[in-house]
């Protein structure tokens, strides 16, 4: 107001409006310096967080826009610059990247522009989306048949890219293992008992790896073939022992009079058989490959009614195994088919000088 110096003084008043013009002297401020988030993997595009920064200024000086400036080189996240809503661009894969540290900046629109930033940690939670994987789709192993029980024949391993129980693997054998093999939690396959190649030459079964997910566990299989290698654990066995033959004393020389045959349940050289007499036998020979016994001398002058031959069958294993068989040869007399005179005598008178 204004007042003059008169008496009485006169007074005049006026109203003055003062408008304070805003200066951009405040920066946007987040409530926290760090935010920690968790999001399951494999989710479709989803909003996970709203960044909120306040600016005390007015108008454009207080209008805030948001931007991701670090920690997302692959572009897996997106932020609405006006609302600050942070979303995933697509499903995240924990097995590729399990943790992100994003840097979000908030900028006002004043001149000069002010900004602040905040760190957002995103942990990608595991979902059981991976099956255990074996290094090979099949395995083949040889084992000697005389291997002791609990012999480890093979160790398999399956890896699972998931986390925690989703990635913990247990192993099982299919019923084709016939109870002859066992697998432990480390994937070691061992024999339950000694194997016998003569009963079964090979075993083919599946190993199944199953993760330990509490629901809907995932699994995969690999094929295992165990070949039982032969060990020379069987001796030759003669098919007929003793072998009895009947031949004539008139049998011609060089004729085959008998064949002594043996079998061996082993395989390869372990089942390859050679034959011989246990001692030198006069008048006979034996084929070392076939077991054929051949006559080398005439039997007509032989006074014995039978001959006994001892044949040894030896396999070619290392060490070799053998057995002895017996051949009994009976010699029979042949009936004389020529003219014979009666044993009785007759006296017939004959005059001398009788004509012929």
């Amino acid at each position: 107001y204004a007042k003059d110096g008169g008496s009485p003084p006169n007074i005049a008043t006026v109203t003055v409006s003062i408008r304070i013009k805003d200066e951009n002297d405040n920066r946007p401020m987040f409530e926290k310096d760090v935010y920690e988030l968790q999001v399951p993997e494999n989710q479709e595009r989803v909003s996970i967080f709203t960044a909120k920064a306040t600016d005390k200024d007015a108008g454009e000086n207080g209008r805030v826009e948001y931007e991701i400036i670090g920690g997302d080189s692959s572009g897996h996240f997106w932020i609405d610059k006006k609302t600050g809503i942070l979303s995933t661009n697509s499903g995240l894969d924990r097995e590729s990247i399990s943790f992100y540290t994003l840097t979000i900046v908030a900028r006002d629109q004043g001149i000069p522009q002010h900004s602040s930033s905040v760190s957002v940690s995103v942990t990608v939670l595991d979902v059981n989306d991976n099956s255990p994987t074996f290094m090979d789709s099949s395995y083949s192993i040889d084992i000697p048949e005389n291997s002791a029980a609990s012999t480890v024949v093979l160790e398999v391993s399956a890896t699972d890219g998931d986390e925690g129980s989703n990635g913990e693997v247990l192993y099982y054998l299919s019923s084709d293992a016939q109870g002859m093999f066992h697998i432990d939690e480390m994937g070691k396959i061992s024999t339950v008992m000694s194997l016998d190649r003569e009963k079964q030459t090979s075993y083919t079964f599946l190993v199944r790896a199953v993760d330990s997910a509490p629901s809907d566990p995932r699994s995969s299989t690999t094929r295992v073939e165990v070949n039982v290698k032969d060990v020379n654990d069987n001796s030759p066995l003669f098919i007929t022992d003793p072998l009895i033959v009947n031949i004539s004393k008139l049998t011609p020389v060089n004729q085959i009079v008998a064949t002594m045959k043996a079998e061996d349940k082993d395989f390869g050289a372990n089942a390859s058989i050679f034959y011989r007499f246990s001692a030198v036998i006069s008048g006979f020979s034996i084929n070392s490959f076939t077991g054929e016994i051949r006559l080398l001398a005439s039997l007509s002058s032989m006074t014995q009614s039978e001959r006994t031959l001892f044949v040894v069958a030896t396999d070619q294993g290392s060490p070799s195994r053998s057995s002895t068989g017996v051949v009994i040869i009976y010699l029979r007399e042949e009936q004389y088919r020529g003219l014979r005179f009666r044993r009785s005598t007759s006296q017939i008178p004959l005059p001398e000088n009788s004509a012929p």
Side-chain angles (χ1 to χ4, degrees):
Y1 65 94
K3 181 174 73 171
D4 61 20
S7 179
N10 291 318
I11 299 173
T13 61
V14 66
T15 299
V16 179
S17 296
I18 300 174
R19 180 177 295 172
I20 301 174
K21 187 177 180 180
D22 184 57
E23 291 287 336
N24 192 22
D25 56 351
N26 289 281
R27 67 180 60 248
M29 296 296 295
F30 289 97
E31 294 179 356
K32 295 181 180 180
D33 294 330
V34 177
Y35 293 90
E36 294 181 351
L37 309 176
Q38 293 181 334
V39 58
E41 64 175 327
N42 300 336
Q43 302 297 308
E44 294 298 326
R45 183 171 180 172
V46 61
S47 299
I48 59 175
F49 171 68
T50 299
K52 185 65 176 177
T54 57
D55 192 315
K56 294 180 180 179
D57 292 319
E60 291 296 289
N61 294 337
R63 185 169 66 86
V64 178
E65 291 187 356
Y66 303 91
E67 183 184 2
I68 300 172
I69 62 171
D72 185 29
S73 59
S74 301
H76 292 160
F77 297 89
W78 175 82
I79 191 168
D80 188 305
K81 69 177 182 178
K82 295 186 180 299
T83 64
I85 296 176
L86 179 66
S87 306
T88 58
N89 266 329
S90 59
L92 305 179
D93 184 4
R94 189 204 67 83
E95 288 71 46
S96 298
I97 303 177
S98 61
F99 186 80
Y100 297 84
T101 301
L102 307 178
T103 301
I104 296 176
V105 64
R107 298 187 183 95
D108 63 28
Q109 304 306 302
I111 300 175
Q113 194 175 54
H114 291 296
S115 65
S116 63
S117 61
V118 68
S119 179
V120 178
S121 298
V122 181
T123 299
V124 184
L125 300 179
D126 185 56
V127 172
N128 191 26
D129 58 346
N130 288 278
S131 298
T133 303
F134 288 98
M135 295 181 62
D136 295 298
S137 60
S138 64
Y139 298 84
S140 181
I141 191 71
D142 295 339
I143 178 174
E145 63 176 318
N146 62 347
S147 299
S150 300
T151 298
V152 176
V153 299
L154 179 66
E155 182 173 359
V156 297
S157 178
T159 56
D160 192 312
D162 291 318
E163 187 179 41
S165 60
N166 293 340
E168 295 175 2
V169 179
L170 298 176
Y171 301 95
Y172 302 91
L173 300 182
S174 69
S175 59
D176 297 322
Q178 302 176 34
M180 301 298 290
F181 301 92
H182 167 76
I183 190 167
D184 65 13
E185 67 278 2
M186 302 302 294
K188 292 181 179 178
I189 302 173
S190 57
T191 57
V192 173
M193 62 188 74
S194 295
L195 306 179
D196 187 352
R197 192 206 67 84
E198 286 70 50
K199 292 182 179 179
Q200 188 160 341
T201 60
S202 66
Y203 297 83
T204 301
F205 51 87
L206 297 178
V207 178
R208 183 175 297 276
V210 184
D211 64 33
S212 303
S215 63
D216 297 325
R218 300 172 69 102
S219 66
S220 63
T221 60
T222 186
R223 178 177 174 271
V224 175
E225 181 182 18
V226 179
N227 299 304
V228 185
K229 305 303 290 183
D230 187 54
V231 172
N232 194 24
D233 56 350
N234 289 279
S235 297
L237 180 66
F238 285 100
I239 297 174
T240 304
D241 186 25
L243 176 63
I244 298 175
V245 294
N246 292 276
I247 62 173
S248 169
K249 279 191 174 184
L250 301 179
T251 301
V253 174
N254 208 37
Q255 181 169 316
I256 296 172
V257 296
T259 299
M260 195 63 166
K261 200 68 177 176
E263 294 179 340
D264 194 311
K265 294 181 179 180
D266 291 316
F267 180 75
N270 295 336
S272 178
I273 300 173
F274 284 177
Y275 302 91
R276 62 179 176 85
F277 290 131
S278 61
V280 177
I281 302 293
S282 61
F284 297 92
S285 68
I286 187 168
N287 187 306
S288 59
F289 297 102
T290 64
E292 294 174 342
I293 299 173
R294 193 178 296 271
L295 182 64
L296 296 182
S298 174
L299 300 174
S300 58
S301 59
M302 187 177 296
T303 59
Q304 299 168 297
S305 62
E306 68 178 68
R307 291 291 302 271
T308 301
L309 312 178
F310 293 95
V311 177
V312 178
T314 305
D315 63 33
Q316 303 306 298
S318 180
S320 62
R321 299 174 70 99
S322 62
S323 59
T324 301
V326 177
V327 180
I328 301 175
I329 300 177
Y330 289 103
L331 305 178
R332 68 174 184 271
E333 294 281 352
E334 287 294 331
Q335 183 178 0
Y336 179 70
R337 299 184 181 278
L339 295 176
R340 290 182 179 272
F341 291 97
R342 290 186 299 175
R343 293 183 179 275
S344 60
T345 58
S346 298
Q347 292 184 356
I348 301 174
L350 182 66
E352 66 177 334
N353 300 324
S354 295

